[in-house]
Amino acid sequence: MSNYSNTIFNQLLSFLPRDRFNYFVGQHQGDRNIKRMTAWNHFTVMLYAQIASKKSLRDIETGMKLHDGSWHHLGIKTVAKSSIADANRRRSYQIFEKLFYALLERCKEITPHREFDFENKLYSLDASVINLCLSTFDWAKYRTTKGALKLHVLLDNRTALPELINITDGKTADIKKLQDLDVKALEKGSIIVFDRAYIDYEKWKELDENGLTFVSRTKKSQNIFVVGQHTEKDKLEKNILADEIVMFGSYDVIEKEKYPKDLRRVKYYDKEKQKEYVYLTNNFELNAKQIADIYKDRWQIELFFKWIKQNLKIKTFLGTSKNAVMTQIWIAMIYYLLVAYIKFQTKFKNSLLELTRMVRETIMFRRNLIDLLSLTTETVFKLKLEKSPQMSFW
């Protein structure tokens, strides 16, 4: 009898904190009165759909039936599309949301850090819209004729891992997620970088009082005036146009109730883009070039959003209810953590994109995962061609 327990898929699942998953299932009564489509069965087939980029429930069912010999070792009893649809609609997505954060804790323990020329933790806060068809997803009204969800992310720039994810309706303002941020949960000295959508003086005051640094772009409508120079003009670094001490208000009215302390304004000229940028920060320790570089590094969150939209299945959905959509998004994010975890743990030298492609093509292969990572994309495809005539008999 063939050994199905050593499939790439089975090895992927072994990285998950199964005991924590079972605890979350119990919390939300996820298996109450369930005989076949258990929470683990549900999660496994939806993760398979994510990895294999399946486009429909029938596609999932057909694909899994080709590998029915592996069901027992994967914890699967059924792959019926009606059972998957019912589970997506009824089983709380919060089970998978909590599994995401449990796996995140594991990832943070072993993730290598990018090095900066300062010791502080660096986070980027931003949001990205996931468009939905309003006629199909009528619960996700965004505009008169459009539907949407928003993915709000606090990204750890050193690890490229999302520290915090909030999924809201498309109408939720970006600033709301900054206002809701539990600043006491972040390490003192951490730096948070965000764009002009997150200007909130009261929240900035709270960040400052809790020992956190922020870096933001300015708005033309902001009422700011200069009270001094942080760095004299003859001592400015290259491409730094100004490094000033500023306050909110006007020359005759200082609006201290909004933000009572001085701020620092750095003006930077980007030669490559031939554009001037103006930043506000409460950090008076780092030099002006570091402040400019910190804001530049906010691009990491843009790359994160671009990557997940291009490589995860979060733009087309396998169910129309809110619970089904949220379930699919959280399982997609779990898969992101899984491949990131494997890349970090095995020190895989190539890109995350190449790793996801290799896993997709070999998900049901009976091969050691470590051996797989020693191959290249080209040799993986050759291996798949060699296996393809007998795949139906696995």
Side-chain angles (χ1 to χ4, degrees):
M1 189 175 189
S2 298
N3 177 18
Y4 296 108
S5 64
N6 199 36
T7 60
I8 296 296
F9 196 13
N10 201 62
Q11 292 170 74
L12 278 179
L13 292 171
S14 70
F15 287 101
L16 293 165
R18 184 69 181 269
D19 56 335
R20 300 292 296 155
F21 178 81
N22 292 338
Y23 176 73
F24 303 143
V25 172
Q27 269 190 324
H28 295 276
Q29 299 184 334
D31 282 343
R32 186 180 182 184
N33 299 324
I34 299 295
K35 293 182 179 179
R36 293 175 65 79
M37 183 56 76
T38 63
W40 182 255
N41 190 148
H42 180 202
F43 171 74
T44 303
V45 295
M46 287 297 289
L47 183 61
Y48 166 77
Q50 183 62 231
I51 295 169
S53 297
K54 296 300 181 182
K55 297 180 180 179
S56 68
L57 297 179
R58 184 179 294 279
D59 202 11
I60 298 171
E61 183 180 43
T62 302
M64 288 303 299
K65 281 183 175 179
L66 291 174
H67 308 288
D68 57 356
S70 65
W71 288 12
H72 174 71
H73 296 287
L74 294 172
I76 294 174
K77 294 181 179 179
T78 178
V79 295
K81 58 182 180 14
S82 58
S83 298
I84 302 171
D86 188 59
N88 280 341
R89 184 172 59 254
R90 295 176 182 274
R91 180 170 284 118
S92 174
Y93 70 84
Q94 291 177 309
I95 295 170
F96 311 111
E97 179 182 2
K98 290 179 178 179
L99 179 61
F100 167 84
Y101 284 109
L103 182 58
L104 177 62
E105 289 306 309
R106 280 194 176 183
C107 288
K108 287 161 68 173
E109 291 173 2
I110 54 99
T111 305
H113 291 188
R114 292 168 58 215
E115 294 298 326
F116 297 130
D117 56 359
F118 51 86
E119 296 181 357
N120 315 62
K121 287 190 173 183
L122 177 60
Y123 298 101
S124 292
L125 179 64
D126 206 351
S128 185
V129 173
I130 300 172
N131 291 313
L132 300 170
C133 176
L134 186 57
S135 61
T136 304
F137 303 89
D138 55 2
W139 48 268
K141 190 170 183 180
Y142 178 38
R143 292 174 183 161
T144 305
T145 58
K146 291 184 178 181
L149 290 176
K150 259 188 185 176
L151 205 62
H152 304 264
V153 173
L154 182 68
L155 187 79
D156 186 331
N157 286 43
R158 289 187 183 272
T159 63
L161 293 179
E163 182 80 10
L164 183 67
I165 295 177
N166 286 125
I167 305 169
T168 68
D169 60 74
K171 294 186 290 186
T172 300
D174 294 358
I175 188 63
K176 182 72 167 60
K177 292 298 109 181
L178 176 61
Q179 292 166 345
D180 292 344
L181 183 65
D182 180 7
V183 299
K184 293 181 180 178
L186 298 178
E187 183 180 309
K188 287 187 182 297
S190 296
I191 302 171
I192 306 176
V193 58
F194 36 71
D195 64 17
R196 289 174 284 205
Y198 295 91
I199 293 175
D200 182 293
Y201 304 134
E202 186 175 342
K203 192 66 179 184
W204 286 11
K205 178 183 176 183
E206 184 184 352
L207 292 172
D208 185 83
E209 288 174 346
N210 283 273
L212 301 174
T213 286
F214 55 84
V215 178
S216 172
R217 293 275 301 279
T218 60
K219 279 184 178 179
K220 289 183 179 179
S221 60
Q222 281 181 284
N223 209 11
I224 299 171
F225 74 98
V226 179
V227 297
Q229 298 297 320
H230 183 263
T231 304
E232 296 301 326
K233 291 188 176 181
D234 60 344
K235 296 180 180 179
L236 292 174
E237 301 150 88
K238 187 178 180 181
N239 298 327
I240 301 297
L241 305 180
D243 186 4
E244 304 163 324
I245 302 171
V246 299
M247 291 202 74
F248 294 121
S250 60
Y251 286 104
D252 55 341
V253 179
I254 300 175
E255 301 178 48
K256 284 197 172 185
E257 69 279 3
K258 290 185 176 180
Y259 188 90
K261 298 173 67 175
D262 291 343
L263 281 171
R264 184 179 177 191
R265 183 168 67 180
V266 173
K267 295 182 180 180
Y268 169 76
Y269 183 73
D270 188 323
K271 280 191 174 181
E272 184 178 336
K273 295 183 178 179
Q274 297 187 336
K275 185 176 179 180
E276 180 181 324
Y277 293 92
V278 184
Y279 310 115
L280 280 177
T281 181
N282 62 333
N283 189 299
F284 288 81
E285 302 300 322
L286 300 178
N287 63 50
K289 181 62 167 57
Q290 287 174 313
I291 299 299
D293 287 343
I294 284 170
Y295 194 87
K296 272 188 176 182
D297 207 68
R298 196 190 71 85
W299 183 243
Q300 292 298 318
I301 200 167
E302 302 289 352
L303 294 177
F304 171 79
F305 284 132
K306 183 179 180 180
W307 195 94
I308 63 172
K309 285 187 173 182
Q310 289 181 346
N311 299 289
L312 300 180
K313 192 174 177 59
I314 59 170
K315 292 194 293 184
T316 56
F317 294 94
L318 300 168
T320 59
S321 69
K322 181 178 180 180
N323 196 76
V325 170
M326 298 287 272
T327 292
Q328 187 170 325
I329 292 175
W330 281 112
I331 292 177
M333 299 315 304
I334 288 169
Y335 181 51
Y336 175 82
L337 289 185
L338 267 178
V339 290
Y341 183 87
I342 292 165
K343 177 174 169 60
F344 301 146
Q345 188 80 310
T346 62
K347 297 180 172 59
F348 182 67
K349 294 181 180 179
N350 297 323
S351 69
L352 207 59
L353 174 58
E354 185 165 0
L355 178 56
T356 57
R357 286 173 174 169
M358 292 170 71
V359 171
R360 181 176 65 232
E361 299 300 331
T362 62
I363 186 62
M364 289 298 184
F365 281 20
R366 286 179 284 108
R367 194 180 184 95
N368 190 289
L369 180 59
I370 301 298
D371 293 341
L372 174 69
L373 299 180
S374 67
L375 302 177
T376 65
T377 306
E378 291 75 18
T379 53
V380 163
F381 278 102
K382 287 181 182 179
L383 180 63
K384 186 180 179 183
L385 289 173
E386 292 171 5
K387 294 276 187 181
S388 57
Q390 57 183 339
M391 282 183 70
S392 297
F393 303 100
W394 284 15

